[in-house]
Each structure stands twice: as structure tokens, then as C-alpha cells.
């Protein structure tokens, strides 16, 4: 069947993919012809999610490795699946219920609501699968897994056993003391009313304030406050009856348990151990708290004194635990000031007794609600406003001059005029509260978009300190490799400083925690309610309503997808898996947890190698976000440019450890590469090349054909070496240079005379070209599967799919002809040098020019003689003449064993060319000077965003390279006179 004029990706891709699936090309073990196994677990996307650029990048790299190994004959499995994504999926369903006027979650009840979620999963769960198909992902979809398969209430078609595996692991770890229930500080989302992981928290820089308040010393005590410079010279000294603190969250002052200063801070040494008063709340119950020392405060930041609210700040929590300071919780699950617990007067009295040491600090201080009656039930931000007003009204705000730059421009006041009687205001009356206007990092829920609250709640935890060591040892010993090297540091830092892992979520969609409680609060952990009841005969039990964090279940992904706890044939064959391809942002959320969990559960590594890729950014290096409007949708790009162009672009930019700067221009460029490949096959078809498809590897005699066969062997070795070392960009860029440059340009052009029917090398050249193009398709297939499969099946009758064709193993030792290699590279090098000189000298493209030669050894002479026609035609050379020396106005052209020259005097206007080049060089010089000045400015380097600095450096490099080329051209013109 004749090739169409162009490749219609929109029509062909779905057809080709359906053909692959129909013929079982992606089934586990397809094309296996060796005992070695290669298995990859897809990082499971959210079941209700859709393909974004990160997915496209991640799955393209996986697909390249999978297709490459499948073609090499490995028994290959690419295991697909989706994550139930507790909070994300529950949010989608709740929004759908609200949008369609249906009863909400609580009105429906748990069973009915989860049935709605299952319906949503079955309705939209295939979306991401279809989108991955559009990308060309060659997963074994017959094995598609789901992290909630087999859960209670699962509809028909969701019968798997992943749920059983999750519950079994929880019960086993609970019985071993590796899982426990406790009260700790967690990230709390007041909108969803659940704990969330760090990955679900987005820290965003916002305009904020820092309020400065006075905490009066108990009993009216005073001390001398002294500020000194680095040399110890006194800068400021005064008598104070308070200690100054600063806070961005005044509402949390109500729960302060202490004020901390650094042990070496001499300013406060005389008052350490004394009590100070929290400046808020009813005066008659005003609380006193101790002034303590701890390593946490930075004496060079602010006042150096830090209020410690252990129940509402992660750093404060650590200080409180180290110093036995009570943790006073102030807010309910919706972020409102608590209205439960003891009446305020009783709560304050107990807290006072604890501070004075007459009552021991309770392990659980939940009932001590230190929110005064006036604030109870208020939203946390309304309470903040009221606290600030009350403290300021009492005169306990730190005051400053109205022109203090810390207030920010909007806070500055105009100079105070005299009063109505003409009297001037006192200095004190001219002061205003010190409220710094400053940028602060604020945590938001990535889905709820509300401010996250550190919250002290009862949760389930994994005692990670008891299971972490094997995961550390595995990477240290080399049993598991993490690439690139820099990401090992992230991995080790997190694991070596690991905190207990909060695995419970206050949701309904997920694996419900298999623990039941009796009326006394005793725990019964069992896989089923019947087994729990058997452990508590005669007692009434209630099940913990919480579900497990999705990272707990996805942490079992490698074994759970292969059928564990059953000892399946797949588990025996494909575990441990070969490679995990993942993003750097989930090294500790998923990679480290899989490592810990697999060692804890089956005492084996989950994978041999972890390849960590970077982010896909926009063309200016900025992170893609909807708010910036710079998001590139991979599906839209596939619609416009085809999947192969998108895949090749991502692969060509996948330098290890370096973010991608993606632009549509680059994708368009690689679509052109596909067009170049297509046109080379059309040229071959028009020259009857595919009618001569060789049954075996050709054994050419012509130098050109020997050369291209050797180049094919060279690129095969280069691609294998690059992919074997996860240098995806090197593989792509080498293939690009080979296919476009060597095959489609040089070989096609140089072969034209040899393809003439009367040429003695015609049949040999057809056979060689057919083989070379065939090998180009094979080598390109893992990166560009669609166009290569289409060309493979269209150009000639095939016995099998390209996707299941054997990967070549030939080497340069077998196929490289040294003499042919030297000769053709000499010819190509000479033509490129002539073209470059012509371009630099601005010689008209169509003009044929004479060429001189002063010396030429035997090898060079032979190469010239055998390729003279081609050299002259492709370099636009009219003639070659011998000369004793080059006349003035000749551009020298160096080649191994020869000295050529182009006499351009009279052919070009040298003075005009010099002026043109100098004008361009001068303009570039100004741009380079400006960029250098900007980059050498310390203020710019310190304050500009990293991507802005990188962009400026890239611009400088590009302009410098252009200037160097112009200067080289000027230097050549100078030689001409």
C-alpha cells in the first residue's frame, strides 16, 4: 500500500493502538524469549483524575523502558492501576451531589454515600486509562489494579483482593506494635474536617502581619533589657516589666504554655524561670506561664522570645514535648474556637495550677479549654481580630513610631497635627501598635483551598522508627539504586529524621480502619467484625469510623497488584520489580514508604532502581499552574501535534536531575522530525526500495552503503548505552542526529546517483536503504511508537508488529568498515565546512563557486575522486583547481590531508559584509553587556526568583554564542582583505 503524502496522527493513533491491544502486544510476557524479567509498576494516578503534563512525562519514560525491554525479549510486565484517592474522590462526589441538588454526605449516610462514590468511580474511572492509551502507554490493561478492589460494598467488577491485603497488613502491624493510636499534632483541613498529608498542603507566600505584644512579668517584676552590637557595645538599655513576643497568629496566644528564649540569650537571663502573664482573657483569670530556655528560639530574629503553643504549631510542639509543657487545644474540627470542655474559669484555674507546679501536667489536656467565653464559637479569624483589639485596648501592644518601615507603606500614618486647643500631642500619643506588614508562608489545603491548621487530634500512626532502617540500609548498600545521586540525599534526610506516620483520615471513602472499641475504650483489631466480636464476647462494639491514608494502601502497590498475600505466579515472577519511575516530589511520600512497607511486610526490596525525574515547566522555567495561565494540556498537544512529537520532545529534554522547559515550538519541531522520517520513506518507496527488502542483513560493497551500515551499528550501541543508564535525552538526541542528519539528509542525498537504474550499485543500495530505514524504525519505536508502527506495516508486508519485533544486537565490531567510515566522514566534513564558510561569508545559496587546493595526500585525493560529483553538487562547487598558494580574498577550508580554499574576491562585497556583521555584533555587545551587568549585580542574584536568574543566564549564553559566530565570520573576512 502506497504511503499517503503525510502521516495523519489523528486518524492513525487510535487505529494503531487498537491493533496493538487486539493482538496482545502489551500482555505480560509478550515477545518473551529469555529467562530475564522486567517489571514496572505505574505510579497509580487518581481514579477520578485526568492526564496532566507530569503524567505524560512520567509515563513516556516508563513506556520507553518497557517497549525497549519487551523488544529485547525480556519477560515484561507494565502493571497499570489507579489509586482510590480518598480525599480527592470524596470531594468530587460531594461537589457532584451539591451540583445536582442531591442530599449531602451526612444526609445520605455512610453506606449510601460510598455507593455513590463507587458509581462515580465506575463512570469516570476509565478516563485516565483512555488518556494514557492516547499517549501510547503499553500497559497490560488486562491486569488493571485498583487500591480499593474487593472492599465491602464494591460493585460487580471490583472483586480484586487489594482491600484484603491492606487490612491484613494493618492487623499484622498492629499486633506487632508497629501501628498505634495516639494524640499528636497533624495537618488539619477545617473544610474537609480531616487530617491530611504534607503532600496535600500547599505553602503559599501571602501578605500577612506580625503582631508584637507585651507579656507582663508576674508580680510587677522588672529587669534591665540591654541590646548590644557584635562587639558588645551597648546600643539600647531600659527597664522593662514585660517580655516582648511577636506572632502571626494572635488567636493562638490563648493556648500558650510558656515563653521560650535561647539559653545563650543574655537579655533574658535574669527572668528565666519566672512567670509572665498572657495579655488576653478576663483580668481576674489572667493566666501566668513560665519563661523557659530551649535551643529552638533564634536570638537574632525579632525579640528572640517565642511564645510556645504546643497544640497549634509544629515547632512549638517539639519545644512543649521536650519541656513537659501542656498542650492546650483551642479549636474544633471546623476551625472555630472551642465551646466544649471545662468552663473558662475552671480551665484557667487548672492551667494556672499546672504553671505554678501545684498540679502535674496532664498527658491529655483536652478538657482544659482555655478559650474565654467571649471568644467561644467564633471562627478562628474572627477570634484573631477580637484578640488583637482587646490586647491593644489594654495597652499591651508594643508601640512604635508611625513612620517605622516595618509597618509597611499602607500602615504609615501622616504626622499628627496639634489638638483642638493648640497643644502638641505627647510622644506616646504619636505611637502606633507595631504590626509588621510582611510576606508569610501560609499552608493551604491543595483541594479545599482553606488555611490548614496544625491540630492536636487522636489518630492512627505507624511507628516508622521501628521499620525505617532496612529502607536506609538498602540504598546505602546499593541493593536499591536511586538516580540521580542528588535525590539520595533527600531520601536519606527524610528517613533519618523520620516522624511517626499518621495513617488515619476522617473520611468515608477508603479502607475503614479494622479496629473496634467497647464501651470502656478497649481496642479490638481484626480483619472482620465477627473476628473482633469473638475477641470481646458479650460486649457491644463500635468500629473506628476513620479510613486509612491513601499513601498507606499505595505503599503496598508493588505486592498488592501482584496478588499478595496469595503467593501468585506473577508475584513469584515479577517481584521485586525492576524500575520505579517517579517524580522527585513524592520521594518520601511514596518511594520511601513503599521501601519501608515492603521490607516490613515481605522483607524484600520493592524495586531494583528508582529513577527520579524532574518537573515539566513552561518555556520560561516557571512551574505550570492554572492561576498563571501557563498550563500545557498534553491531550491538546497530542490533538495538535500527535503523540509521537509530544513524547519525543519530553524525552529529548529529560536530562537527569534537570527540569524541562517545554514550549509548543519545540513540539512542532519534533513533529517536523516525524515528517522528515515519513518523507524519507516516501522517497524510498518512489525508488522501489521496499521491493528489495532484504531477508537478511545486507553485505554492501559500495563505500556509502558500508558507511551507513556502520553508522547504524554505532547508533544502536549509543541508544542501548543511553537507555541502560537512564539518559533518555541522550538516546533521543542521538537518534535525532542519526535519523535526520545521517539517514534522511546525507544518506538519502548521497545515494541518489547510486539508485539510478543503470548504476551498478542500485540493487545493493535499495537493499541497504531498506534495511537502514527498517532499523531506524526499530530504534525509534520506544520513543515514537505510532509513526514507526505505521511505516513498518505500510511500506511492506510484515509477519509481526513492530512493537513485538526483536531489538537488534549487531555491533560496530561486526559492521563498521573503518575505511568507509573515514572516507564518508571526510566527505561530509568537507561539505559541511564549505557550506559553513559560504553561509558566514553571505555567499548566495544558489551560486556555484570555484575551489582551490594547495595540497592533498593520497587518502584525501582518493576520497575526492570517488565522491567528486556529490561534493560539488551538495556544496555548490563549480570546479577544483590546483594552486601553489591561495590568492588574496580566499577563505581557507581545512580537511584531513588537504588544504582547500574558496576564492571569494569579486564574488561578494567584502566591505559591505564587514559592515553588516559589525553592526550585528555591536547590537549583540550591548545586549550582552546589559545581561552581564544584571547577573553580576548581587541584589539581582539574591532577590530574583531562581527561574528568572536562570532565564537571564540562558539569554546571555545564547547571545554570546551568536556573537562568537559573528566574530569568527569577521575574522575570516579580515583574512580576505
Amino acid at each position: 500500500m502506497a504511503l499517503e503524502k503525510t502521516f495523519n496522527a489523528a486518524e492513525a493513533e487510535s487505529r494503531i493502538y487498537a491493533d496493538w491491544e487486539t493482538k496482545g502486544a502489551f500482555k505480560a510476557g509478550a515477545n518473551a524469549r529469555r529467562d530475564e524479567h522486567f517489571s514496572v509498576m505505574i505510579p497509580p494516578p487518581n481514579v477520578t483524575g485526568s492526564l496532566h503534563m507530569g503524567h505524560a512525562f512520567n509515563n513516556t519514560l516508563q513506556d520507553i523502558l518497557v517497549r525497549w525491554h519487551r523488544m529485547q525479549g525480556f519477560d515484561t510486565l507494565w502493571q497499570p492501576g489507579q489509586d482510590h484517592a480518598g480525599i480527592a474522590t470524596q470531594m468530587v462526589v460531594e461537589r457532584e451531589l451539591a451540583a445536582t441538588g442531591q442530599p449531602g454526605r451526612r444526609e445520605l449516610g455512610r453506606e449510601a454515600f460510598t455507593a455513590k462514590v463507587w458509581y462515580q468511580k465506575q463512570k469516570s474511572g476509565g478516563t485516565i486509562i483512555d488518556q494514557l492509551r492516547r499517549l501510547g502507554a503499553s500497559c497490560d490493561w488486562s491486569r488493571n489494579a485498583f487500591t480499593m478492589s474487593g472492599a465491602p460494598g464494591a460493585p460487580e467488577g471490583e472483586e480484586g483482593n487489594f482491600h484484603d491485603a491492606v487490612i491484613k497488613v494493618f492487623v499484622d502491624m498492629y499486633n506487632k506494635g508497629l501501628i498505634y493510636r495516639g494524640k499528636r499534632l497533624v495537618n488539619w483541613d477545617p473544610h474537609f474536617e480531616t487530617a491530611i498529608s504534607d503532600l496535600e498542603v500547599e505553602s503559599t507566600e501571602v501578605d500577612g502581619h506580625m503582631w508584637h505584644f507585651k507579656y507582663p512579668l508576674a508580680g510587677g517584676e522588672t529587669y534591665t533589657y540591654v541590646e548590644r552590637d557584635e562587639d558588645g557595645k551597648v546600643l539600647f538599655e531600659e527597664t522593662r516589666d514585660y517580655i516582648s513576643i511577636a506572632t502571626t497568629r494572635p488567636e493562638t496566644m490563648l493556648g500558650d504554655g510558656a515563653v521560650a528564649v535561647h539559653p545563650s540569650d543574655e537579655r533574658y537571663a535574669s527572668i528565666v524561670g519566672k512567670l509572665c502573664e498572657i495579655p488576653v482573657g478576663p483580668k481576674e483569670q489572667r493566666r501566668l506561664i513560665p519563661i523557659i530556655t530551649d535551643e529552638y528560639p533564634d536570638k537574632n530574629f525579632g525579640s528572640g522570645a517565642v511564645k510556645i503553643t504546643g497544640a497549634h504549631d509544629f515547632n512549638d510542639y517539639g519545644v512543649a514535648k521536650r519541656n513537659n509543657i501542656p498542650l492546650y487545644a483551642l479549636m474544633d474540627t471546623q476551625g472555630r474556637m472551642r465551646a466544649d470542655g471545662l468552663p473558662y474559669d475552671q480551665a484557667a484555674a487548672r492551667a494556672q495550677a499546672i504553671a505554678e507546679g501545684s498540679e502535674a501536667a496532664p498527658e491529655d489536656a483536652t478538657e482544659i479549654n482555655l478559650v474565654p467565653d467571649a471568644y467561644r464559637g467564633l471562627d478562628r479569624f474572627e477570634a484573631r481580630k477580637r484578640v488583637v483589639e482587646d490586647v491593644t485596648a489594654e495597652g499591651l501592644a508594643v508601640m512604635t513610631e508611625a513612620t517605622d518601615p516595618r509597618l509597611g507603606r499602607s500602615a504609615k500614618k501622616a504626622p499628627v497635627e496639634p489638638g483642638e486647643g493648640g497643644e502638641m500631642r505627647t510622644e506616646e500619643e504619636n505611637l502606633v501598635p507595631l504590626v509588621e506588614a510582611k510576606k508569610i508562608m501560609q499552608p493551604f489545603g491543595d483541594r479545599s483551598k482553606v488555611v490548614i491548621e496544625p491540630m492536636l487530634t487522636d489518630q492512627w500512626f505507624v511507628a516508622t522508627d521501628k521499620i525505617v532502617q532496612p529502607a536506609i540500609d538498602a540504598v546505602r548498600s546499593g541493593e536499591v539504586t536511586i538516580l540521580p545521586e542528588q535525590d539520595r540525599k533527600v531520601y536519606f534526610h527524610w528517613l533519618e529524621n523520620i516522624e511517626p506516620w499518621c495513617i488515619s483520615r476522617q473520611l468515608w471513602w477508603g479502607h475503614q480502619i479494622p479496629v473496634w472499641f467497647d464501651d470502656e475504650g478497649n481496642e479490638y483489631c481484626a480483619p472482620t467484625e465477627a473476628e473482633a466480636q469473638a475477641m470481646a464476647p458479650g460486649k457491644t462494639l463500635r468500629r473506628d469510623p476513620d479510613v486509612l491514608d491513601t499513601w498507606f494502601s499505595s505503599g503496598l502497590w508493588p505486592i498488592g497488584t501482584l496478588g499478595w498475600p496469595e503467593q501468585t505466579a506473577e508475584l513469584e515472577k515479577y517481584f521485586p520489580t525492576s524500575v520505579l519511575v517517579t517524580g522527585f516530589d513524592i520521594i518520601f511520600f511514596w518511594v520511601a514508604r513503599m521501601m519501608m512497607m515492603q521490607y516490613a511486610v515481605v522483607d524484600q526490596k520493592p524495586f531494583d532502581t528508582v529513577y527520579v525525574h524532574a518537573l515539566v515547566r513552561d518555556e520560561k522555567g516557571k512551574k505550570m499552574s492554572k492561576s498563571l495561565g501557563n498550563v500545557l494540556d498534553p491531550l491538546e498537544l497530542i490533538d495538535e501535534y500527535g503523540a509521537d512529537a509530544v513524547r519525543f520532545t519530553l524525552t529529548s529534554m529529560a536530562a537527569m536531575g534537570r527540569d524541562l522547559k517545554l514550549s509548543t515550538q519545540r513540539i512542532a519541531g519534533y513533529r517536523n522530525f516525524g515528517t522528515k522520517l515519513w518523507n524519507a520513506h516516501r522517497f524510498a518507496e518512489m525508488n522501489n526500495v521496499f521491493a528489495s527488502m532484504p531477508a537478511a542483513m545486507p553485505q554492501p560493497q559500495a563505500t556509502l552503503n558500508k558507511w551507513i551500515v556502520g553508522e547504524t551499528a554505532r547508533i544502536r550501541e549509543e541508544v542501548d548505552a543511553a537507555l541502560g543508564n537512564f539518559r533518555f535525552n541522550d538516546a533521543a538526541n542521538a537518534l535525532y542526529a542519526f535519523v535526520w542528519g545521517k539517514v534522511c539528509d546525507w544518506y538519502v542525498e548521497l545515494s541518489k546517483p547510486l539508485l539510478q537504474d543503470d548504476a551498478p550499485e542500485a540493487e545493493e543500495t535499495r537493499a541497504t536503504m531498506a534495511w537502514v530505514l527498517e532499523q531506524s524504525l526499530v530504534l525509534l519505536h520506544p520513543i515514537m511508537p505510532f509513526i514507526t508502527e505505521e511505516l513498518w506495516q505500510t511500506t511492506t508486508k510484515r509477519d509481526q508488529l513492530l512493537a513485538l519485533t526483536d531489538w537488534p544486537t549487531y555491533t560496530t565490531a561486526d559492521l563498521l568498515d573503518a575505511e568507509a567510515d573515514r572516507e564518508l566522514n571526510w566527505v561530509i566534513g568537507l561539505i559541511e565546512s564549505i557550506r559553513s564558510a559560504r553561509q558566514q561569508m553571505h555567499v548566495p545559496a544558489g551560486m556555484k563557486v570555484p575551489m582551490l587546493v594547495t595540497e592533498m595526500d593520497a587518502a584525501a585525493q582518493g576520497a575526492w575522486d570517488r565522491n567528486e560529483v556529490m561534493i560539488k553538487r551538495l556544496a555548490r562547487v563549480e570546479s577544483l583547481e590546483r594552486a601553489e598558494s591561495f590568492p588574496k580574498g580566499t577563505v581557507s577550508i581545512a580537511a584531513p590531508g588537504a588544504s582547500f580554499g574558496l576564492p571569494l574576491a569579486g564574488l561578494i562585497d567584502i566591505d559591505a559584509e564587514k559592515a553588516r556583521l559589525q553592526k550585528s555584533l555591536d547590537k549583540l555587545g550591548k545586549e550582552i553587556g546589559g545581561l552581564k551587568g544584571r547577573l553580576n549585580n548581587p541584589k539581582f542574584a539574591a532577590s530574583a526568583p531562581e527561574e528568572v536568574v536562570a532565564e537571564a543566564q540562558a539569554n546571555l549564553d545564547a547571545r554570546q554564542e551568536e556573537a562568537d559566530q559573528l566574530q569568527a565570520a569577521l575574522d575570516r573576512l579580515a583574512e580576505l582583505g
Side-chain angles (χ1 to χ4, degrees):
M1 184 172 68
L3 286 172
E4 298 291 338
K5 187 175 181 181
T6 58
F7 175 57
N8 185 346
E11 179 279 325
E13 288 173 357
S14 58
R15 169 173 50 79
I16 293 168
Y17 199 96
D19 191 40
W20 285 331
E21 287 204 272
T22 299
K23 294 175 180 175
F26 307 151
K27 291 272 191 178
N31 200 46
R33 61 182 190 279
R34 56 207 288 181
D35 293 335
E36 296 164 279
H37 305 102
F38 183 79
S39 55
V40 175
M41 298 286 157
I42 197 171
N46 290 355
V47 70
T48 54
S50 58
L51 193 74
H52 56 63
M53 194 53 75
H55 289 141
F57 182 38
N58 177 274
N59 285 281
T60 293
L61 300 185
Q62 290 177 81
D63 195 41
I64 290 168
L65 292 175
V66 168
R67 288 178 181 270
W68 179 50
H69 280 87
R70 189 184 288 126
M71 294 171 79
Q72 286 180 307
F74 285 79
D75 186 338
T76 303
L77 165 66
W78 187 6
Q79 174 65 52
Q82 295 78 48
D83 191 280
H84 65 276
I87 193 168
T89 306
Q90 183 162 316
M91 179 188 72
V92 167
V93 175
E94 289 196 72
R95 284 180 177 172
E96 178 75 13
L97 293 174
T100 54
Q102 298 183 62
R105 173 167 64 100
R106 289 180 174 82
E107 289 80 7
L108 284 170
R110 186 168 193 145
E111 186 175 344
F113 176 75
T114 53
K116 294 278 188 183
V117 183
W118 277 113
Y119 173 76
Q120 179 69 29
K121 185 269 176 186
Q122 294 199 311
K123 183 177 76 169
S124 63
T127 299
I128 190 74
I129 294 174
D130 292 338
Q131 291 170 340
L132 286 167
R133 284 185 167 105
R134 291 202 59 199
L135 184 69
S138 61
C139 302
D140 183 352
W141 297 112
S142 68
R143 295 186 48 81
N144 193 52
F146 181 51
T147 53
M148 280 281 284
S149 65
E156 185 177 351
E158 303 286 354
E159 294 87 356
N161 74 335
F162 208 103
H163 173 75
D164 296 341
V166 173
I167 297 303
K168 174 178 171 53
V169 168
F170 184 100
V171 173
D172 289 349
M173 293 182 74
Y174 177 93
N175 291 333
K176 292 175 182 177
L178 300 176
I179 289 178
Y180 63 92
R181 191 167 186 263
K183 192 182 291 291
R184 287 180 62 90
L185 210 59
V186 297
N187 294 310
W188 186 266
D189 189 314
H191 175 78
F192 290 114
E193 296 185 69
T194 181
I196 61 174
S197 71
D198 289 343
L199 189 63
E200 293 157 319
V201 177
E202 292 179 340
S203 290
T204 306
E205 188 177 66
V206 298
D207 292 324
H209 296 90
M210 181 173 280
W211 288 266
H212 292 251
F213 296 127
K214 298 176 181 180
Y215 280 41
L217 297 181
E221 288 208 39
T222 62
Y223 69 108
T224 302
Y225 178 85
V226 181
E227 288 278 2
R228 302 177 186 274
D229 63 15
E230 293 179 357
D231 299 323
K233 181 181 178 181
V234 174
L235 300 174
F236 174 78
E237 181 175 339
E238 72 173 359
T239 299
R240 286 184 176 179
D241 61 357
Y242 66 89
I243 186 168
S244 173
I245 65 94
T247 179
T248 59
R249 303 168 67 213
E251 70 279 10
T252 64
M253 294 164 61
L254 301 166
D256 287 352
V259 170
V261 299
H262 195 274
S264 65
D265 197 334
E266 296 178 358
R267 294 172 295 178
Y268 304 113
S270 64
I271 58 172
V272 169
K274 296 187 177 181
L275 299 176
C276 62
E277 181 182 280
I278 297 175
V280 67
K283 191 66 177 174
E284 60 274 16
Q285 282 114 20
R286 194 63 60 83
R287 288 201 301 121
L288 298 176
I289 56 175
I291 299 170
I292 65 170
T293 60
D294 192 89
E295 295 291 329
Y296 166 61
D298 180 355
K299 63 182 182 181
N300 297 315
F301 180 76
S303 70
V306 181
K307 70 184 206 63
I308 303 301
T309 318
H312 290 278
D313 182 275
F314 287 102
N315 290 316
D316 291 4
Y317 179 80
V319 177
K321 297 297 281 186
R322 287 193 295 272
N323 293 278
N324 197 32
I325 296 169
L327 305 172
Y328 297 122
L330 301 172
M331 298 175 199
D332 65 16
T333 58
Q334 294 181 330
R336 298 173 304 200
M337 307 310 286
R338 288 176 56 197
D340 62 343
L342 294 173
Y344 181 72
D345 57 349
Q346 295 179 35
R350 282 197 60 189
Q352 189 60 53
I354 293 167
E356 292 172 348
S358 59
E359 181 181 330
E363 187 171 329
D364 185 351
T366 302
E367 73 168 350
I368 304 176
N369 181 359
L370 294 175
V371 178
D373 295 336
Y375 306 139
R376 291 194 175 194
L378 292 179
D379 177 80
R380 52 187 165 158
F381 299 115
E382 176 61 25
R384 174 181 299 177
K385 178 182 175 184
R386 295 274 294 275
V387 166
V388 171
E389 289 173 350
D390 291 347
V391 176
T392 303
E394 197 169 326
L396 292 175
V398 174
M399 308 298 282
T400 188
E401 301 239 348
T403 54
D404 189 329
R406 291 176 294 174
L407 298 173
R409 290 177 185 171
S410 61
K412 289 183 180 179
K413 312 270 186 181
V416 178
E417 299 294 333
E420 290 182 7
E423 73 279 6
M424 295 300 294
R425 299 286 184 92
T426 65
E427 183 178 344
E428 186 173 315
E429 288 175 322
N430 275 322
L431 299 179
V432 296
L434 176 52
V435 183
E436 288 187 66
K438 61 184 300 178
K439 297 287 187 181
I440 61 172
M441 296 303 295
Q442 193 148 59
F444 292 87
D446 67 343
R447 293 180 177 87
S448 68
K449 306 305 178 187
V450 302
V451 176
I452 297 305
E453 189 68 39
M455 188 79 76
L456 193 65
T457 62
D458 289 310
Q459 302 288 345
W460 289 94
F461 294 90
V462 172
T464 44
D465 59 324
K466 296 180 180 179
I467 64 171
V468 70
Q469 199 57 47
I472 294 173
D473 294 343
V475 177
R476 288 240 185 263
S477 68
E479 182 178 22
V480 175
T481 301
I482 295 179
L483 296 171
E485 182 74 20
Q486 67 205 43
D487 288 305
R488 286 164 46 99
K489 298 174 184 175
V490 176
Y491 177 86
F492 287 132
H493 177 76
W494 190 74
L495 289 181
E496 289 169 352
N497 297 277
I498 200 162
E499 294 285 336
W501 172 16
C502 176
I503 58 170
S504 48
R505 298 290 181 265
Q506 289 63 55
L507 304 169
W508 285 356
W509 174 241
H511 302 279
Q512 192 170 353
I513 288 171
V515 176
W516 285 258
F517 300 93
D518 62 21
D519 292 339
E520 289 79 41
N522 297 310
E523 299 172 2
Y524 304 91
C525 182
T528 65
E529 184 174 4
E531 291 171 88
Q533 193 66 66
M535 298 165 67
K539 295 187 176 183
T540 300
L541 300 181
R542 62 174 181 83
R543 188 171 186 175
D544 192 312
D546 291 353
V547 300
L548 287 165
D549 169 26
T550 54
W551 295 108
F552 184 87
S553 49
S554 63
L556 302 172
W557 190 243
I559 54 174
T561 53
L562 295 173
W564 187 92
E566 296 178 25
Q567 294 304 306
T568 64
E570 290 84 1
L571 187 66
E572 178 68 26
K573 183 186 290 186
Y574 298 116
F575 185 83
T577 64
S578 306
V579 179
L580 175 72
V581 178
T582 188
F584 78 91
D585 52 339
I586 56 173
I587 292 174
F588 37 84
F589 287 105
W590 190 44
V591 178
R593 287 172 182 175
M594 278 193 289
M595 290 282 282
M596 288 191 294
M597 293 294 278
Q598 258 62 210
Y599 278 111
V601 175
V602 295
D603 196 26
Q604 283 183 274
K605 63 182 178 181
F607 23 69
D608 296 324
T609 302
V610 180
Y611 174 79
V612 182
H613 62 73
L615 277 178
V616 182
R617 298 181 180 271
D618 72 8
E619 59 187 310
K620 294 182 178 179
K622 293 182 179 178
K623 189 173 181 178
M624 293 184 190
S625 74
K626 291 180 181 177
S627 61
L628 292 175
N630 64 345
V631 173
L632 292 175
D633 184 335
L635 297 173
E636 292 178 1
L637 294 174
I638 289 171
D639 286 339
E640 184 170 359
Y641 301 103
D644 291 316
V646 173
R647 289 169 60 111
F648 202 96
T649 305
L650 293 169
T651 310
S652 70
M653 301 176 71
M656 196 178 292
R658 192 163 59 212
D659 287 348
L660 289 75
K661 294 181 182 178
L662 190 63
S663 69
T664 53
Q665 291 93 332
R666 293 195 71 139
I667 302 170
Y670 287 117
R671 179 183 58 186
N672 295 341
F673 174 57
T675 301
K676 187 80 171 179
L677 178 68
W678 188 267
N679 288 339
H681 281 76
R682 290 188 71 230
F683 168 82
E685 185 180 63
M686 288 186 287
N687 283 277
N688 296 317
V689 164
F690 301 116
S692 304
M693 187 66 78
M697 185 181 297
Q699 303 292 323
Q701 300 304 308
T703 301
L704 175 64
N705 294 326
K706 288 181 181 180
W707 166 76
I708 196 62
V709 167
E711 289 293 336
T712 306
R714 181 177 278 141
I715 193 62
R716 198 283 304 164
E717 291 178 339
E718 198 170 339
V719 169
D720 276 1
L723 293 181
N725 288 289
F726 302 94
R727 291 185 284 103
F728 296 96
N729 61 312
D730 288 347
N733 294 331
L735 280 166
Y736 183 90
F738 169 73
V739 172
W740 186 304
K742 298 243 169 74
V743 177
C744 299
D745 273 355
W746 289 112
Y747 183 58
V748 166
E749 281 298 323
L750 294 170
S751 69
K752 287 177 179 177
L754 280 62
L755 287 170
Q756 301 301 313
D757 289 335
D758 57 351
E761 306 93 345
E763 281 307 308
E764 171 192 307
T765 303
R766 289 190 182 97
T768 303
M769 183 175 287
W771 180 82
V772 169
L773 289 173
E774 178 184 76
Q775 295 307 301
S776 297
L777 297 180
V778 172
L779 296 171
L780 277 170
H781 181 75
I783 305 176
M784 304 180 80
F786 290 107
I787 193 172
T788 54
E789 187 73 72
E790 182 80 337
L791 286 167
W792 177 266
Q793 295 190 36
T794 307
T795 50
T796 190
K797 182 176 175 54
R798 303 284 185 177
D799 295 331
Q800 62 183 349
L801 298 167
L802 175 55
L804 297 179
T805 294
D806 293 347
W807 189 261
T809 57
Y810 46 72
T811 67
T812 50
D814 301 325
L815 302 184
L816 184 69
D817 184 295
E819 287 301 318
D821 187 62
R822 274 193 295 272
E823 180 171 315
L824 261 296
N825 285 325
W826 185 92
V827 170
I828 290 170
L830 176 59
I831 294 171
E832 287 178 335
S833 295
I834 297 170
R835 286 175 170 177
S836 176
R838 290 175 61 110
Q839 185 178 19
Q840 283 186 336
M841 298 299 101
H842 226 52
V843 177
M847 179 186 288
K848 287 192 173 185
V849 298
M851 190 161 72
L852 303 174
V853 61
T854 57
E855 56 180 292
M856 192 154 45
D857 64 17
Q861 184 69 61
W864 174 271
D865 293 343
R866 288 185 291 271
N867 298 279
E868 180 177 2
V869 174
M870 278 299 104
I871 296 170
K872 286 181 175 179
R873 183 169 69 86
L874 295 178
R876 307 296 291 170
V877 170
E878 185 176 47
S879 60
L880 178 68
E881 295 183 11
R882 288 269 182 179
E884 291 296 321
S885 61
F886 295 139
K888 188 176 182 180
T890 299
V891 176
S892 60
I893 306 288
S899 292
F900 296 99
L902 294 178
L904 299 182
L907 297 179
I908 61 172
D909 187 333
I910 294 175
D911 291 337
E913 281 303 304
K914 283 182 179 179
R916 182 184 66 83
L917 291 173
Q918 190 62 56
K919 183 178 179 182
S920 298
L921 198 57
D922 291 344
K923 182 182 177 183
L924 273 175
K926 291 179 181 179
E927 294 181 20
I928 289 170
L931 286 166
K932 282 184 176 179
R934 194 178 182 198
L935 286 164
N936 291 333
N937 185 341
K939 290 183 179 179
F940 174 72
S943 61
E946 184 179 338
E947 63 268 18
V948 174
V949 176
E951 184 180 0
Q953 184 62 58
N955 287 339
L956 174 61
D957 294 342
R959 282 157 176 73
Q960 188 62 60
E961 182 179 357
E962 186 180 352
D964 291 343
Q965 292 173 353
L966 291 175
Q967 187 60 55
L970 265 176
D971 292 343
R972 276 194 156 178
L973 282 171
E975 296 174 8
L976 302 184

